[in-house]
Amino acid sequence: KRFRSLSESAPDIIYTIDREGGFTYVNPAWERILGHPAKDVLGRYFIDYVRKEEIPVYRELFRLIRTEGKTVRDVMGTILHQDGSDRIFSISGAPNLDAEGQFIGVVGTFKDVTALHLSKAELKQSYQRLQTALDSTIQALSMIVESRDPYTSGHQQRVAKLAVTIAEEMGLPEESRAAIRMAATLHDIGKISVPAEILCKPTQLNEIEMGMIQLHPETGRGILESIAFPYPVARIVFQHHERMDGSGYPMGLRGDEILLEAKILSVADAVEAMATHRPYRASLGREKALQELYDQRGVLYDIAVADTCLRLFNE
């Protein structure tokens, strides 16, 4: 009587099945959750209420309980509602023994987690939509910057590809690789404030013009700080022209004062810039670019990052 009182008021399905897998008891929660009248379930088999392709999974669970005496807990599975739809459950079961300790079936519970599962799926879809929108926005901003400087069209995309590859080779986690990809794709966004005639000037820049160019990391940080990135994108962009010996700009940071992600971006940016054409000079070529990287490793560029980049090209 005590068991029946507890069982009939329980929010989860409580069941017992016999040695062959037929139901000998289900509490009223079965009808409330799955729609089938409880009296119609008795004598039928567990596999009558699951999809055919999942039957082998449940047979294996039953075998573990019956032949090995194991208790299974919180196994995710689906049971069919009376209307034919799936309901997702956390399934538990344990051996049901008689007074002599002989196996007579299984006793257990089905906890309905359908709503929780759907909420997680919807949350994941929502996140994916937001991620797609963010990626599209980043690409649009990148195209705006590069449209003002046809000589460096595609530069940010190529830098992003190289920087992410270096990060992968170094074993950086997904969060760091995502931050590098976003920052690299937008690292020159601050040049939107530089007059186009300076960006496209076919001769060496004078001191004033170079000073305007060197403001672009700070301008970029100012633009990107207004966007709620999940990663320190603005800081990486702000530091991508800093150098290990403190000779970079705008802050003259040294060594460990520079984010690792910014060190990776600075190497990718420098190699790509040296290996491609600029308005004021022809391409130095890949070999010279890599030689310059090798010569300046530990001086301008982080040794581990530089060596990884060199290995990627050489191997």
Side-chain angles (χ1 to χ4, degrees), residues 49-263:
Y49 298 97
V50 303
R51 297 200 177 278
K52 290 181 179 180
E53 60 270 20
E54 296 184 358
I55 289 176
V57 175
Y58 298 118
R59 280 184 170 153
E60 174 60 17
L61 291 176
F62 190 70
R63 186 196 67 79
L64 288 173
I65 298 170
R66 180 176 60 185
T67 63
E68 299 186 23
K70 292 187 176 180
T71 296
V72 297
R73 294 184 177 88
D74 301 322
V75 176
M76 300 303 295
T78 56
I79 301 176
L80 296 175
H81 190 274
Q82 188 180 35
D83 63 12
S85 62
D86 288 335
R87 291 294 188 274
I88 302 170
F89 288 88
S90 173
I91 300 172
S92 298
N96 192 14
L97 309 178
D98 63 14
E100 285 74 39
Q102 298 299 310
F103 178 83
I104 59 173
V106 178
V107 59
T109 62
F110 302 148
K111 182 177 181 63
D112 186 12
V113 294
T114 306
L116 178 61
H117 180 82
L118 292 176
S119 295
K120 287 182 177 179
E122 290 170 359
L123 183 62
K124 183 177 181 180
Q125 291 176 356
S126 177
Y127 173 79
Q128 289 173 339
R129 287 194 294 269
L130 287 172
Q131 188 65 47
T132 299
L134 179 59
D135 289 343
S136 298
T137 301
I138 289 171
Q139 293 301 322
L141 290 171
S142 176
M143 291 172 64
I144 290 172
V145 175
E146 294 188 351
S147 69
R148 300 184 67 247
D149 185 3
Y151 289 97
T152 59
S153 179
H155 166 70
Q156 294 184 122
Q157 303 298 325
R158 292 190 295 272
V159 169
K161 184 176 181 180
L162 177 54
V164 170
T165 305
I166 293 171
E168 290 174 346
E169 185 74 9
M170 293 181 68
L172 268 65
E174 171 58 31
E175 293 79 6
S176 293
R177 300 200 303 270
I180 289 169
R181 187 187 76 251
M182 292 181 185
T185 305
L186 295 171
H187 71 275
D188 278 341
I189 192 171
K191 288 183 178 178
I192 201 165
S193 65
V194 179
E197 57 269 24
I198 293 178
L199 294 176
C200 301
K201 186 177 179 180
T203 58
Q204 288 290 339
L205 301 179
N206 60 40
E207 185 176 346
I208 295 176
E209 293 166 337
M210 182 57 71
M212 295 181 68
I213 289 287
Q214 290 182 348
L215 288 174
H216 82 272
E218 190 165 357
T219 303
R221 180 182 67 170
I223 294 171
L224 298 176
E225 278 182 334
S226 63
I227 302 174
F229 288 108
Y231 314 109
V233 173
R235 284 183 64 201
I236 297 170
V237 168
F238 182 58
Q239 295 181 6
H240 79 276
H241 275 290
E242 300 290 354
R243 297 294 182 255
M244 294 296 290
D245 62 356
S247 63
Y249 61 87
M251 297 295 292
L253 301 179
R254 293 173 173 270
D256 291 339
E257 295 175 335
I258 307 169
L259 292 172
L260 176 58
E261 293 86 350
K263 294 175 183 177

